[in-house]
Amino acid sequence: MWGIFLESVVVFKNYMGFHENGYLAGIYLFALLYLWLTEKDKHRRTFFVYVPTLILFMFFCPLFRKVFVRLMEDGETYYRLLWLLQMSLVSAYGLLKLCGRHRRIGLAIICVAIIACGNYVYDSQYITKAENVYHLPQDVIDIVDLIEPEEGRITALVPADLIYYVRQYSTNIELPYGRQALIARWEFHHDLYDVMEESEVIDTDALVELAREYPCAYIVLKENRKTTVPLTQHGFILYERVGNYLIYQDTQVIKAEFASN
């Protein structure tokens, strides 16, 4: 049990940013403690004091964590319980209450303190300038717009780096496999994924055979991706080129779907 508790402590520290400074977490915990000592209104006390405290208690409780992991079958999402803490609301209410009647001056001081204790998010390596209103790579939008049918759905095989974005942009493009294939700890195995991603040179014969089982009307490959033989030798045509991606259309699948309709 002690080991499980220590794991929860590590998750809490990572979530709160203690590896950088943890000042914002300190502000939140200070505000929560202050409200414990001063808040008298029953309804506000329930929302701003009891609920966050109960969530923290459950989060650090080893027994609760064991039940959570067993039911969800995924301990990696345990940190999401901390989303329920409503750090911004509790911190804002607690600090403004602390200011009493001097709320204007207090608000200015609080804003300065939060800015000084935080980090400039746009310096993060994970944030890039949006290319469009969808906040998705423009290549993905262009690819989907080209292959998406006016009615119904089609199946397309795309490189692993596009899977997340295609799913976000359109539900009319079905994929042979999704996010589960990209998370190593889930140990998900898929023959088509192995052929597509696990070798330096794609076995074209195996790729086409497996893709047609779904059937995939389109196969998208990176321009520099090597294959044993060109897809065009298996009834595919080079449908379009978008950025560094080549879109191949399986004429055999397209004809079969057209005939069925």
Side-chain angles (χ1 to χ4, degrees), residues 211-225:
R212 282 177 173 165
E213 291 180 1
Y214 282 87
C216 296
Y218 296 91
I219 295 180
V220 180
L221 298 178
K222 291 184 178 179
E223 188 176 27
N224 60 354
R225 199 73 167 91

Side-chain angles (χ1 to χ4, degrees), residues 6 18 46 155 201:
L6 293 179
F18 281 97
T46 298
T155 302
V201 180

Side-chain angles (χ1 to χ4, degrees), residues 48-69:
F48 290 109
V49 178
Y50 295 148
V51 172
T53 302
L54 178 61
I55 293 171
L56 285 173
F57 174 78
M58 291 191 302
F59 180 83
F60 288 108
C61 176
L63 181 60
F64 178 82
R65 174 164 182 161
K66 290 185 68 175
V67 173
F68 179 94
V69 173

Side-chain angles (χ1 to χ4, degrees), residues 93-181:
Y93 178 71
L95 294 177
L96 284 175
K97 184 177 178 64
L98 178 63
C99 295
R101 297 180 180 179
H102 307 286
R103 291 190 175 181
R104 292 185 178 179
I105 298 176
L107 179 61
I109 295 174
I110 291 170
C111 289
V112 171
I114 291 175
I115 293 173
C117 292
N119 297 312
Y120 187 62
V121 295
Y122 294 105
D123 284 340
S124 172
Q125 60 176 321
Y126 302 108
I127 295 180
T128 57
K129 186 177 180 180
E131 299 180 48
N132 47 65
V133 295
Y134 299 101
H135 289 244
L136 298 173
Q138 188 61 43
D139 285 348
V140 174
I141 295 175
D142 293 340
I143 290 172
V144 174
D145 287 345
L146 281 168
I147 67 177
E148 186 176 29
E150 294 182 2
E151 296 181 0
R153 298 182 176 183
I154 57 98
T155 302
L157 178 62
V158 302
D161 59 321
L162 300 185
I163 288 177
Y164 285 113
Y165 304 121
V166 172
R167 293 172 67 244
Q168 292 178 58
Y169 183 61
S170 175
T171 58
N172 293 327
I173 306 296
E174 296 184 353
L175 304 174
Y177 45 80
R179 178 171 175 262
Q180 72 273 30

